[in-house]
């Protein structure tokens, strides 16, 4: 039997979201008691929830049309599914602290230390332990991230995607916007708000799966990201 490691945050009302993006709202739309004609139940049991959230909520992937306006039409429903079903491995950057940059040279040397080679179509996951250290704290939005030169190198390597535990692939206010623009330029993407990446370290390659919802015109989508070890 394969071992499947869940890399996805829970989605719940009150969870942290990026800056001014929509807050998650969740309520019972219809209960079992409604179906059964029971009026004013003390403890209604949900049959269907009403869920309101933005595309970039929790563990999610960005579409190319999110990166810059010139990519209008390059929406999440148009991206090939092969981008979200790939070979992958994880690198250890737990040494990085709040708002510290990960450079191209650091990324290259750390990949080399794993014994793996970064191949075309791979997904590279970057473990910083930021989720464990700072989720739902005042520093949650202040995570480490890659710099523009590192993003440029990843694009040149023709990977499918990279993934981080933080709310941003770059450092907010420093490299984050550039990293997004570079992803658009090279037509690769990134996952944000991953968890459990420490469980992947030192284990080599796995099958990465992070399939998005088929949102017409969508700029991104929540995903149930997993790593599968056969």
């Amino acid at each position: 039997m394969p071992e499947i490691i869940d890399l996805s945050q829970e989605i719940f009302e009150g969870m942290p979201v990026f800056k001014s993006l929509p807050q998650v709202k969740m309520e019972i739309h219809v209960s079992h008691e409604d179906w059964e004609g029971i009026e004013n139940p003390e403890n209604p049991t949900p049959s269907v929830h009403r869920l309101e959230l933005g595309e970039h909520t929790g563990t999610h992937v960005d579409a190319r049309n999110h990166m810059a306006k010139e990519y209008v039409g390059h929406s999440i429903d148009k991206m090939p599914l092969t981008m979200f079903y790939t070979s992958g491995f994880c690198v250890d950057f737990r040494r990085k602290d709040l708002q510290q940059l990960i450079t191209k040279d650091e990324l290259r040397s750390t990949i080399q230390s794993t014994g793996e080679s970064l191949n075309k179509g791979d997904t590279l996951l970057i473990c910083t332990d930021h989720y464990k250290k700072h989720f739902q704290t005042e520093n949650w939005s202040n995570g480490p991230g890659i710099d523009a030169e590192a993003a440029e190198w990843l694009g040149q390597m023709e990977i499918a995607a990279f993934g981080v535990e933080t709310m941003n692939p770059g450092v907010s206010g420093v490299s984050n916007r550039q990293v997004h623009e570079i992803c658009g330029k090279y037509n690769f993407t990134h996952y944000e708000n991953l968890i459990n990446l420490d469980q992947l370290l030192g284990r080599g390659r796995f099958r990465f799966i992070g399939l998005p919802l088929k949102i017409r015109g969508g700029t991104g989508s929540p995903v149930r990201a997993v790593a599968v070890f056969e």
Side-chain angles (χ1 to χ4, degrees):
M1 291 290 290
E3 178 188 1
I4 301 176
I5 297 179
D6 190 357
L7 308 179
S8 310
Q9 288 184 12
E10 289 183 306
I11 293 176
F12 58 92
E13 191 163 320
M15 69 182 296
V17 296
F18 184 75
K19 291 185 177 179
S20 59
L21 295 185
Q23 295 293 316
V24 176
K25 298 180 182 178
M26 186 173 179
E27 61 183 20
I28 296 176
H29 177 69
V30 63
S31 69
H32 290 287
E33 289 74 19
D34 290 328
W35 294 126
E36 295 167 9
I38 301 171
E39 296 184 5
N40 303 315
E42 288 187 13
N43 297 298
T45 52
S47 176
V48 177
H49 282 109
R50 180 186 295 115
L51 184 62
E52 181 180 328
L53 73 168
E55 301 157 305
H56 301 262
T57 297
T59 305
H60 69 275
V61 66
D62 286 1
R64 197 180 189 195
N65 64 348
H66 175 69
M67 314 300 186
K69 63 182 180 181
E70 56 262 39
Y71 306 121
V72 62
H74 296 235
S75 52
I76 197 71
D77 52 315
K78 302 291 179 58
M79 295 170 72
L81 293 178
T82 51
M83 290 187 72
F84 314 114
Y85 184 89
T86 74
S87 177
F89 62 97
C90 188
V91 288
D92 189 352
F93 277 92
R94 289 176 292 181
R95 61 190 180 274
K96 290 292 181 178
D97 207 345
L98 297 173
Q99 294 192 299
Q100 290 187 336
L101 288 166
I102 297 169
T103 68
K104 178 186 78 171
D105 289 342
E106 289 176 315
L107 205 53
R108 291 177 68 177
S109 63
T110 303
I111 289 170
Q112 187 176 22
S113 72
T114 67
E116 298 291 344
S117 297
L118 192 60
N119 301 324
K120 180 178 179 179
D122 275 351
T123 297
L124 178 70
L125 303 185
I126 301 172
C127 176
T128 59
D129 256 0
H130 187 70
Y131 177 83
K132 285 186 176 180
K133 293 175 182 176
H134 300 293
F135 185 65
Q136 291 189 290
T137 74
E138 61 183 7
N139 283 317
W140 175 238
S141 62
N142 297 322
I146 68 172
D147 68 10
E149 190 179 18
E152 190 88 19
W153 178 70
L154 289 175
Q156 292 168 354
M157 296 299 290
E158 299 184 84
I159 65 171
F162 68 98
V164 297
E165 298 168 65
T166 50
M167 298 179 78
N168 311 301
V171 172
S172 184
V174 180
S175 65
N176 191 50
R177 182 169 182 175
Q178 291 173 293
V179 171
H180 277 80
E181 290 170 348
I182 291 164
C183 285
K185 172 184 172 182
Y186 285 98
N187 195 21
F188 70 114
T189 190
H190 54 262
Y191 298 84
E192 300 163 22
N193 297 314
L194 294 165
I195 66 170
N196 295 332
L197 297 189
D198 59 312
Q199 297 183 31
L200 310 178
L201 294 173
R203 300 190 59 186
R205 286 188 173 268
F206 46 80
R207 172 64 60 185
F208 176 82
I209 305 171
L211 295 171
L213 298 173
K214 197 172 184 178
I215 303 169
R216 184 184 297 179
T219 67
S221 172
V223 300
R224 186 66 180 267
V226 298
V228 183
F229 290 94
E230 295 292 347

